[in-house]
Amino acid sequence: MRILVTGGAGYVGSHTVWELVAAGHEPAVFDDLSKGHRAAVPEGVPLFEGSLADRAALDEALASFQPEAVMHFAGSTQVGESVTNPGLYFRNNICGGLNLLDAMVRAGVRNIVFSSTAAVYGEPTAVPIPEDHPKAPTNPYGESKLFFEAILRRYETAHGIRSIALRYFNAAGAHPSGRIGEDHTPETHLIPIVLQAVLGQRDKVTVFGTDYPTEDGTCIRDYVHVCDLAAAHILAVEALADGAPSDAFNLGNGKGFSVRQVIDVAERVVGKPIPYEEGPRRAGDPAVLVASSEKARTTLGWRPAYPDLHTIIETAWRWHKEHPNGYGA
Ligand code: UFG
């Protein structure tokens, strides 16, 4: 299938592009390279360098590539930044997404897989979190993603666009080939930060909060391998092509790990102690986020290939060790 991947030079987007190629699909990337990396796009995959704010660039990419479906990853993704700069999040994630949908309507492309997030739920009232859990995002990032899910439903009624929204929990790890991985500036995610401390690129890890109502007092998250997220996108786009109805699915392993447990597992992976200090809570962090992904398993047939945190961190470690400066190496 010919698939236009917005944000295909970013972390989850690029892993999906590699897996699409491996599965025999024909992806092209649409990315403004503001956060993404040209080197993350496999050789031979067309790269349309453009912004979602640029309607003509979107029209051009759709007209020249003629995709049968779109996967939409492009957007702003940092919870903390969304609180200090909400305009950026509403503009990029909502206005940008609307430009994409309007261009799809003009081009006659009717299927889209959307990169959503666990942040649509806010502070959970039940764990593991099912898809019908109340949606009460606690930050503009989660709000922007939730609102775009609502926009997708309206575009189906008005324009016949079918969509699958995939709500990821904590994306982690790197491609097992070691060729691509996680490279954010600034880096805010726990596992790469822990590995940067191992490499001496930072003095230590600060554990954000040790007084949460969890067994060891630190936040619990559900880490899911980036290639398993990629595989879910492929199942979703194939399901839409087969006529599946619009839907939304959680993607996680259903198993929570505390910040301290992540550091412990990382110490076993790298074979040395990792320096860390205890710090205050980070604003907006729910205590526990663990997915129920039963629906993705039963409806899409999704079976994570890397459900084990040790393996997830091993793949991340290989990437960070071999590319200490990310794509800038
Ligand atoms: N953490 C630390 N120290 C750090 C970095 C993170 O203790 O230096 C902690 C965080 O407080 C959190 C856990 O490690 O408890 C994981 O933090 P990440 O920043 O790696 O990931 P988040 O859970 O904040 O973010 C994820 C997704 C977002 C999504 C969010 C929902 O990356 O897309 O969950 O809350 F919006």
Side-chain angles (χ1 to χ4, degrees):
M1 202 185 313
R2 295 168 68 82
I3 300 162
L4 186 71
V5 184
T6 77
Y11 174 44
V12 186
S14 63
H15 283 77
T16 304
V17 169
W18 281 68
E19 297 296 333
L20 279 168
V21 172
H25 288 294
E26 210 185 316
V29 170
F30 185 91
D31 200 300
D32 67 3
L33 301 180
S34 61
K35 300 271 179 199
H37 307 276
R38 191 182 295 273
V41 179
E43 234 169 83
V45 170
L47 169 63
F48 296 93
E49 199 177 330
S51 159
L52 294 180
D54 183 347
R55 291 162 193 239
L58 282 166
D59 282 337
E60 244 171 72
L62 288 163
S64 91
F65 185 63
Q66 306 247 318
E68 296 155 82
V70 166
M71 288 185 180
H72 178 35
F73 296 91
S76 298
T77 61
Q78 287 177 32
V79 171
E81 183 185 49
S82 80
V83 175
T84 53
N85 191 356
L88 181 72
Y89 280 70
F90 294 129
R91 224 172 356 261
N92 287 350
N93 296 356
I94 296 179
C95 303
L98 278 172
N99 286 342
L100 173 65
L101 290 178
D102 289 336
M104 286 173 62
V105 171
R106 287 193 291 274
V109 183
R110 292 288 181 266
N111 291 347
I112 180 169
V113 180
F114 171 55
S115 172
S116 188
T117 171
V120 300
Y121 298 110
E123 189 71 53
T125 55
V127 197
I129 303 173
E131 286 81 359
D132 60 2
H133 182 284
K135 317 293 182 299
T138 52
N139 53 64
Y141 169 63
E143 275 168 350
S144 70
K145 292 283 183 175
L146 183 60
F147 196 59
F148 196 70
E149 287 193 19
I151 290 171
L152 286 171
R153 289 191 290 275
R154 297 301 186 191
Y155 268 62
E156 174 161 27
T157 310
H159 305 293
I161 288 186
R162 271 178 307 126
S163 66
I164 289 183
L166 298 175
R167 300 177 186 145
Y168 326 152
F169 282 62
N170 286 61
H175 199 277
S177 67
R179 302 277 299 277
I180 54 169
E182 192 166 8
D183 180 2
H184 295 116
T185 308
E187 188 52 76
T188 60
H189 294 106
L190 179 63
I191 291 173
I193 283 176
V194 164
L195 298 178
Q196 286 172 353
V198 177
L199 290 168
Q201 293 172 322
R202 49 179 90 222
D203 295 346
K204 51 185 174 289
V205 180
T206 303
V207 175
F208 295 147
T210 52
D211 59 347
Y212 284 98
T214 61
E215 209 161 289
D216 66 18
T218 67
C219 286
I220 292 179
R221 293 290 181 271
D222 183 343
Y223 296 89
V224 53
H225 197 277
V226 63
C227 290
D228 287 328
L229 296 180
H233 284 78
I234 297 174
L235 291 169
V237 82
E238 290 173 348
L240 286 173
D242 289 344
S246 295
D247 214 335
F249 298 94
N250 287 340
L251 298 178
N253 283 308
K255 202 164 177 284
F257 290 88
S258 72
V259 175
R260 280 192 216 275
Q261 286 173 324
V262 169
I263 295 173
D264 284 349
V265 174
E267 286 183 339
R268 285 204 290 281
V269 169
V270 304
K272 54 178 167 182
I274 295 168
Y276 70 88
E277 63 176 5
E278 296 181 354
R281 290 184 179 198
R282 183 174 70 177
D285 273 343
V288 182
L289 283 176
V290 176
S292 162
S293 297
E294 267 320 294
K295 192 176 154 191
R297 286 164 192 271
T298 51
T299 310
L300 295 175
W302 183 58
R303 299 275 176 282
Y306 310 93
D308 169 54
L309 184 62
H310 193 277
T311 315
I312 293 175
I313 297 181
E314 261 174 1
T315 63
W317 178 226
R318 176 170 183 193
W319 162 255
H320 285 279
K321 204 169 42 177
E322 292 174 5
H323 305 84
N325 301 311
Y327 292 101

